[in-house]
Amino acid sequence: DSTSLGAITEAGMFGPFGVFTSSLIGRHGRDGGEAIRLDSTWTRDFPERLATLRVGDSISVAGAWGQSARFGGIQFGTNFATQPTLVTMPLLYAQGEALVPSTVDVFVNGRRIASETVPPGPFTIDRVPAVTGAGQMQVVVTDALGRQQVVSQPFYTGPTLLRAGLSEYSVEAGAIREDYARLSNEYGDVMVAGTYRRGLTDRLTAELHAEGRLDGIAAAGMDLAVQPGTLGIFTLTAAAGGDGEVGWLAGAGFERTGRRISVFARARYASPSFAQLGTTPE
């Protein structure tokens, strides 16, 4: 016996200095109507630095063990999407030896992805595009007489790892958004957060993350992702944080993506006094 109307709208303006967007949610029913602002953000990309600057409403980067929070303020950090062709995972490489001038074809999961002519002697074909998960790589060496030598080797790659030397970071500062989608301009405690990831090797990625609020809650910790052979990726997490009394958090995980079966497991434990963004110590 009643009629209601609702809508979510977004408007944007763009120019040489960036893009400004603002969204609203509107409701109209038996008790009247209301319009509530959701997010208003100015964004500017820096493709040459693989980075993006956001001023206004945003969501903090949680890292491997943190919790994201809506806030109003400033955020600057890595944005690999500004260069869509960039491969962030460790790349594969093929090695072998040719006795005479030969042609080397590289197959990943049965599909040829690279072909090169090599002189006699040892050779290395690097920067071979990776395929997420477990797979099989074949290197086929064909000499001038048509004789072939085939070498097969299993591999495993995953987006949890960054390739060696590649870094990712984000820093945020502002006020935590409260009563989102219920009130237009309600902001609370001041918060700061920072995250830094780096591929130390193609098989080891380290992450540091810290966050804090003006009310005293703060936390900091690290996460390691390591790939032993072709089994999968293991992660280890350790953090400390609280409000006055400092607690701790520890965790471990494992992931493997296969052609038929995928496994993902993660376990974490926190002491009663551990606190971070979005939690309250007991």
Side-chain angles (χ1 to χ4, degrees):
D1 296 330
S2 64
T3 301
S4 62
L5 176 66
I8 297 178
T9 63
E10 183 179 67
M13 297 184 297
F14 65 92
F17 299 105
V19 179
F20 176 80
T21 60
S22 185
S23 55
L24 297 172
I25 182 171
R27 308 183 185 97
H28 188 277
R30 177 180 299 176
D31 299 329
E34 61 177 355
I36 298 172
R37 184 183 64 85
L38 296 178
D39 298 301
S40 299
T41 309
W42 174 75
T43 304
R44 181 167 185 178
D45 293 329
F46 300 89
E48 69 282 357
R49 301 182 61 179
L50 295 173
T52 294
L53 172 66
R54 296 181 179 87
V55 179
D57 296 302
S58 189
I59 300 176
S60 66
V61 175
W65 55 268
Q67 294 190 96
S68 296
R70 290 188 177 273
F71 72 98
I74 185 170
Q75 181 183 59
F76 183 75
T78 303
N79 183 3
F80 292 131
T82 57
Q83 292 190 14
T85 59
L86 177 68
V87 178
T88 62
M89 297 185 301
L91 298 174
L92 303 176
Y93 63 91
Q95 291 181 321
E97 184 173 0
L99 299 179
V100 297
S102 305
T103 300
V104 178
D105 296 309
V106 181
F107 295 81
V108 173
N109 293 338
R111 186 177 64 180
R112 186 172 66 177
I113 60 174
S115 181
E116 289 188 16
T117 300
V118 298
F123 64 84
T124 299
I125 300 177
D126 55 7
R127 303 187 67 82
V128 176
V131 178
T132 300
Q136 192 80 15
M137 181 171 65
Q138 288 184 322
V139 180
V140 181
V141 182
T142 307
D143 63 19
L145 299 178
R147 296 175 299 186
Q148 289 187 335
Q149 178 185 5
V150 181
V151 179
S152 298
Q153 64 183 59
F155 69 87
Y156 186 87
T157 58
T160 305
L161 297 175
L162 291 177
R163 73 169 189 254
L166 189 63
S167 299
E168 182 180 14
Y169 64 91
S170 179
V171 290
E172 301 103 9
I176 295 178
R177 186 78 181 267
E178 297 180 349
D179 293 320
Y180 183 76
R182 296 183 62 243
L183 297 175
S184 294
N185 301 293
E186 191 70 19
Y187 295 90
D189 293 326
V190 174
M191 57 81 68
V192 293
T195 306
Y196 179 77
R197 294 178 68 221
R198 184 173 179 84
L200 302 180
T201 69
D202 282 344
R203 294 180 179 271
L204 177 63
T205 297
E207 176 188 296
L208 299 175
H209 177 77
E211 57 189 31
R213 284 175 24 183
L214 190 62
D215 63 0
I217 293 179
M222 69 178 300
D223 181 84
L224 293 176
V226 59
Q227 178 191 329
T230 60
L231 181 61
I233 298 176
F234 292 88
T235 58
L236 297 174
T237 302
D243 183 7
E245 183 180 357
V246 178
W248 56 271
L249 176 145
F254 172 76
E255 63 180 77
R256 176 180 172 83
T257 301
R259 303 182 67 176
R260 291 184 175 86
I261 299 177
S262 297
V263 178
F264 180 87
R266 178 173 294 173
R268 292 180 182 173
Y269 179 83
S271 65
S273 55
F274 178 79
Q276 59 187 125
L277 289 179
T279 63
T280 302
E282 296 180 359

